[in-house]
Amino acid sequence: MSYCSAIEFMSAEKKAIHKAYHDEHYGFPIHDDNELFCRLIMEINQAGLSWETILRKEAGFRKAYSNFNIKKVAAYTEADRERLMADPNIIRNRLKINAAIENAKTILQLQKEYGSFEKWLEAHHPRTKEEWVKLFKKTFKFTGGEIVNEFLMSIGMLPGAHHSTCEIYKKVVKAKPLWAVKQ
């Protein structure tokens, strides 16, 4: 069942949690490197958990990870790692915390080489899901197939975030995600 279809069958409480993300964020291109980093970290943290858990903790993640400021996160120390491990408002998994910090450092390097994280992504577009997964595994920490697929769908690099029958689909296409742009 797709995310679009699943929302139809959710309780009012669950719909309230998912609807804003589905209607305003999922599948839309992101042009801010800190927000791209945010989405990558959120997807990494979702591994093994429900997306609802991540949505419920988003404010906690933003606060704990300096609003996903890449430079600040890349400079985190051992004390910051311990602070994050003790923070009940995020997912306290050492591998995921370490991945966030190391991936921030990687993104800083990509920004030096390409001008931005977004330009690095664009420079490698188009690719198949399998090619993207191979590239991400070579470049980043804690990025398996599902994490990469969801990250790229959620930022408009790969199709599939919405069915063509979903009312949000046309809004996403109008925002010109790279998957919809003719090569």
Side-chain angles (χ1 to χ4, degrees), residues 137-165:
K137 282 185 172 188
K138 186 176 92 180
T139 309
F140 297 104
K141 305 280 186 226
F142 211 102
T143 51
E146 281 308 305
I147 291 168
V148 173
N149 185 56
E150 276 301 319
F151 170 68
L152 294 170
M153 272 197 323
S154 78
I155 65 166
M157 297 293 289
L158 288 177
H162 300 273
H163 286 285
S164 59
T165 56

Side-chain angles (χ1 to χ4, degrees), residues 46-75:
Q46 189 270 327
L49 303 168
S50 71
W51 187 242
E52 185 174 324
T53 298
I54 300 307
L55 290 175
R56 286 181 186 272
K57 290 184 174 276
E58 183 178 1
F61 275 105
R62 285 192 180 279
K63 184 175 180 187
Y65 283 99
S66 304
N67 203 32
F68 295 103
N69 180 298
I70 297 164
K71 287 180 183 171
K72 287 181 180 179
V73 175

Side-chain angles (χ1 to χ4, degrees), residues 4 22-23 161-171:
C4 302
H22 172 270
D23 292 0
H162 300 273
H163 286 285
S164 59
T165 56
C166 175
E167 64 184 29
I168 305 304
Y169 180 84
K170 287 180 183 173
K171 291 179 183 176

Side-chain angles (χ1 to χ4, degrees), residues 77-102:
T77 64
E78 190 57 38
D80 289 302
R81 290 175 203 266
E82 293 310 314
R83 171 184 56 81
L84 292 167
M85 281 299 295
D87 190 336
N89 298 306
I90 66 167
I91 305 304
R92 295 177 286 181
N93 176 303
R94 192 168 300 277
L95 293 174
K96 292 176 181 183
I97 290 168
N98 289 339
I101 297 166
E102 294 306 313

Side-chain angles (χ1 to χ4, degrees), residues 32-47:
D32 177 272
D33 277 7
N34 291 329
E35 284 302 311
L36 286 167
F37 175 59
C38 166
R39 192 66 58 83
L40 179 61
I41 299 312
M42 300 295 270
E43 291 295 347
I44 286 170
N45 276 277
Q46 189 270 327

